[in-house]
Amino acid sequence: MSQAETGWIPVALARDVEPSSSMGTQIHGQEIVVWRDSAGQSHVWEDRCPHRGMRLSFGFVRGNHIACLYHGWEFDTAGQCRKIPAHPELEVPKAIKTVRYASAEAAGMVWVHEAPAEGALPPGLPAAEPVRSLYLDCPAARLVAALREGDGKVRVTGDEGQLLTLDFCGAKLLGGVQPLTEDQCALHLALPAPGADPQAIVDWSEALRRRLEVAPVPDTSAAALAEAVA
Amino acid sequence: MSLRLYDFELDENAYKVRLLLAFLGLDYAKVAMDVFPGTEHKADAFLKLSPVGELPALVDGEVVLFQSEAILAYLARRYDGSGLWLPEGPAALGAVTQWLAFAAHELRAATTARRGALFGVPIDEAATRAAVRAAFRILETHLVMQGLAGRSWLVGDAPTIADIAVFPAFALSRDFGIDHGEYPALRRWLRALRDLPGFIPMPGVPGYH
């Protein structure tokens, strides 16, 4: 989406993934679980228990383990299965592991790297106060195009991969763009410094969504119809 | 005990009343209705209490009520000495009533969607889904705004019967295939409500997280 593809995608505002909780989301149609252990560390994995394929985001976080809703299989922060309640005596085979992704927190957001590999988030992202995550029924490309076009309140002043730097009525605002599916995306908004009214940002974001979710209307102007007839 | 609740374990509207009774620590008699497959809620005896043929109904001495939102209001005014669950002030009372109406009107689509998914009641699935999502977005935005003002509940700084009335629609939405991922503020609110002392689960709403 920009000059500098980094492979890093924001998947939530860090604040919204509370300790000992999990949430399900998607990147490019792939289901992932974002969870935070009781010590405060966040993790991003494929949203599948290796046992029966149940979504781990439906499960429960217990200490530094996440447990599947179906049969209670527990996985440690390395993705290694540590407990199978139906077989308490069993030493769990090392091969039972989840698929983990490299993840990090910056700019008030949780980030995941697209490839299941180790990696480090590009340095230099500022700390930021969360405002809200806006979920839209429109492709990420349409969202980004609309932001670049500007709308009187907001314009894009910079970008690095999926992170847009916005000017909101004179204040700096960060917008992390998450492509969920072909037709859905999220915009994670955070303020790197005080100066803008967060409630005004929420109002603007609602109007933006209403505008973007309207399906493109065919051109029925007199000129277009005349052209079609001719 | 004089309180009698006509109840069905899987009914989200009856659950609202069970929740408030639990938060208030009130003893009551539960009359378990055979809704599926018995349709006891459409039988003459029950229609006398609840002419709409919907659960729950509450009997408290001379008082007979149907519609869960009305029952919540009655129980709060009658038995909550603290006045927290149904505040007195005009603005707060108005706001609570607004969300009670929202629960009964806009969130009716969630009940419809759930009955379609769990009990095979025929529904217009696409339209119902769209209506549920629209309602959830309104709640989400309201809770985002509340959060920015340092508040965690629908009205003011403490939980009210408005939170209870709205709770099951969202807490049970996975029953009809709407996940919680798109609603981070609602998710945090759900966890906060589940952490209140006295909270009780129902099938589909675990008591722990």
Side-chain angles (χ1 to χ4, degrees):
Chain A
M1 66 169 251
S2 73
Q3 299 89 341
E5 284 292 346
T6 63
W8 287 89
I9 295 176
V11 291
L13 288 172
R15 180 244 353 236
D16 289 333
V17 189
E18 295 179 293
S20 301
S21 81
S22 63
M23 62 167 279
T25 185
Q26 298 185 64
I27 42 170
H28 298 300
Q30 195 174 353
E31 291 180 333
I32 55 172
V33 53
V34 185
W35 67 282
R36 193 182 293 286
D37 60 38
S38 60
Q41 179 66 44
S42 59
H43 311 272
V44 184
W45 297 357
E46 188 179 63
D47 198 5
R48 287 276 167 268
C49 177
H51 180 214
R52 293 284 172 147
M54 179 64 181
R55 293 180 63 181
L56 285 169
S57 58
F58 283 24
F60 306 97
V61 178
R62 293 285 173 270
N64 62 354
H65 289 184
I66 186 165
C68 181
L69 177 71
Y70 261 19
H71 304 99
W73 288 28
E74 285 191 21
F75 301 88
D76 68 15
T77 55
Q80 175 66 51
C81 183
R82 290 290 176 191
K83 189 178 166 193
I84 297 178
H87 301 283
E89 306 300 323
L90 180 76
E91 194 186 325
V92 181
K94 289 275 175 277
I96 303 179
K97 293 189 77 163
T98 60
V99 176
R100 292 186 313 145
Y101 297 98
S103 63
E105 292 188 31
M109 303 168 202
V110 179
W111 298 76
V112 63
H113 198 271
E114 275 192 276
E118 296 303 319
L121 194 63
L125 295 180
E129 277 299 305
V131 177
R132 76 154 329 166
S133 293
L134 182 78
Y135 290 82
L136 304 99
D137 291 345
C138 88
R142 193 195 298 175
L143 167 67
V144 173
L147 291 171
R148 287 195 187 286
E149 204 171 293
D151 62 7
K153 279 194 173 131
V154 170
R155 61 194 175 86
V156 174
T157 59
D159 65 60
E160 182 169 11
Q162 300 296 112
L163 188 69
L164 298 174
T165 304
L166 306 167
D167 178 290
F168 181 85
C169 303
K172 194 173 172 187
L173 176 65
L174 300 175
V177 177
Q178 176 186 2
L180 288 139
T181 64
E182 294 277 304
D183 307 311
Q184 291 179 303
C185 65
L187 179 64
H188 306 285
L189 294 165
L191 283 167
D197 171 11
Q199 300 202 342
I201 295 171
V202 174
D203 285 338
W204 162 79
S205 72
E206 293 285 316
L208 174 74
R209 178 163 66 185
R210 280 192 289 271
R211 191 154 56 84
L212 286 178
E213 288 188 345
V214 175
V217 185
D219 189 354
T220 53
S221 66
L225 289 176
E227 197 173 310
V229 171
Chain B
M1 74 193 74
S2 67
L3 275 174
R4 199 159 77 238
L5 176 68
Y6 289 78
D7 184 53
F8 176 53
E9 188 66 17
L10 295 180
D11 188 285
E12 61 267 60
N13 292 308
Y15 175 53
K16 295 173 189 176
V17 177
R18 295 199 299 269
L19 257 184
L20 181 62
L21 288 164
F23 285 139
L24 293 176
L26 292 171
D27 281 331
Y28 64 101
K30 218 185 260 187
V31 183
M33 301 288 287
D34 177 11
V35 171
F36 289 93
T39 61
E40 203 181 351
H41 59 310
K42 303 293 184 191
D44 294 344
F46 185 68
L47 289 173
K48 232 176 116 52
L49 301 174
S50 175
V52 291
E54 291 272 345
L55 287 163
L58 182 88
V59 177
D60 186 15
E62 295 294 300
V63 177
V64 181
L65 290 170
F66 63 98
Q67 302 285 30
S68 53
E69 282 71 30
I71 296 172
L72 293 177
Y74 168 74
L75 288 173
R77 190 55 93 236
R78 172 74 180 80
Y79 293 105
D80 172 27
S82 73
L84 282 174
W85 288 101
L86 181 58
E88 289 275 358
L93 181 65
V96 168
T97 310
Q98 168 191 285
W99 292 115
L100 294 183
F102 185 89
H105 299 153
E106 277 73 13
L107 291 176
R108 177 74 197 176
T111 302
T112 304
R114 187 161 169 272
R115 285 180 185 175
L118 292 194
F119 307 119
V121 176
I123 60 166
D124 179 343
E125 211 173 306
T128 307
R129 247 186 116 73
V132 174
R133 289 188 71 213
F136 283 0
R137 280 181 170 187
I138 290 169
L139 288 168
E140 170 74 14
T141 303
H142 177 69
L143 286 170
V144 165
M145 286 297 199
Q146 287 285 90
L148 291 172
R151 304 190 183 107
S152 326
W153 306 98
L154 285 177
V155 180
D157 298 323
T160 65
I161 56 172
D163 296 284
I164 294 177
V166 164
F167 179 75
F170 184 68
L172 292 164
S173 72
R174 285 166 168 176
D175 279 359
F176 48 88
I178 293 187
D179 196 9
H180 294 168
E182 291 186 16
Y183 311 99
L186 273 165
R187 222 169 46 231
R188 287 154 53 88
W189 164 85
L190 179 144
R191 285 171 65 81
L193 198 139
R194 214 152 46 177
D195 281 341
L196 291 175
F199 179 85
I200 51 164
M202 78 165 269
V205 185
Y208 45 87
H209 46 228

